[in-house]
Amino acid sequence: MLDQIILSHHFFQTNNSLHFQSAHIFKEEFLLYQDKKNGPRPNRTYGGPRYFGGYSDHLPVFVEMKSN
């Protein structure tokens, strides 16, 4: 897993009311295709010079935050 979520220094100041709750991979069916050999894979836009018309070669990541 190479994707990262980066938070600025300001986020960690003590007066911030938001706190990290969880991190997830957004893995919905419409973002995937079924590779015969490897199973579900991200439906990428390009594979070398070939255009496939998908969204990305990575799945989006996101965090859930909780307020005090």
Side-chain angles (χ1 to χ4, degrees), residues 5 12 16-19 23-25 28 35 38-40 42 44 47 49 53 55-56 58 63 65-66:
I5 296 172
F12 295 101
N16 190 343
S17 66
L18 290 176
H19 299 280
H24 304 278
I25 301 169
E28 296 293 324
D35 182 56
N38 299 312
R44 58 189 173 171
Y55 294 98
S56 176
H58 290 85
V63 295
M65 310 299 279
K66 187 173 184 179

Side-chain angles (χ1 to χ4, degrees), residues 19 26 63-64 67:
H19 299 280
F26 188 73
V63 295
E64 290 188 63
S67 179

Side-chain angles (χ1 to χ4, degrees), residues 9-66:
H9 174 73
H10 178 75
F11 178 81
F12 295 101
Q13 292 179 353
T14 57
N15 61 349
N16 190 343
S17 66
L18 290 176
H19 299 280
F20 173 84
Q21 187 160 357
S22 59
H24 304 278
I25 301 169
F26 188 73
K27 191 175 182 179
E28 296 293 324
E29 288 295 318
F30 73 92
L31 294 173
L32 305 171
Y33 77 95
Q34 292 296 322
D35 182 56
K36 293 177 184 175
K37 184 177 178 183
N38 299 312
R41 307 304 259 173
N43 189 13
R44 58 189 173 171
T45 306
Y46 284 94
R50 295 178 57 201
Y51 178 73
F52 295 118
Y55 294 98
S56 176
D57 61 347
H58 290 85
L59 294 172
V61 294
F62 66 97
V63 295
E64 290 188 63
M65 310 299 279
K66 187 173 184 179

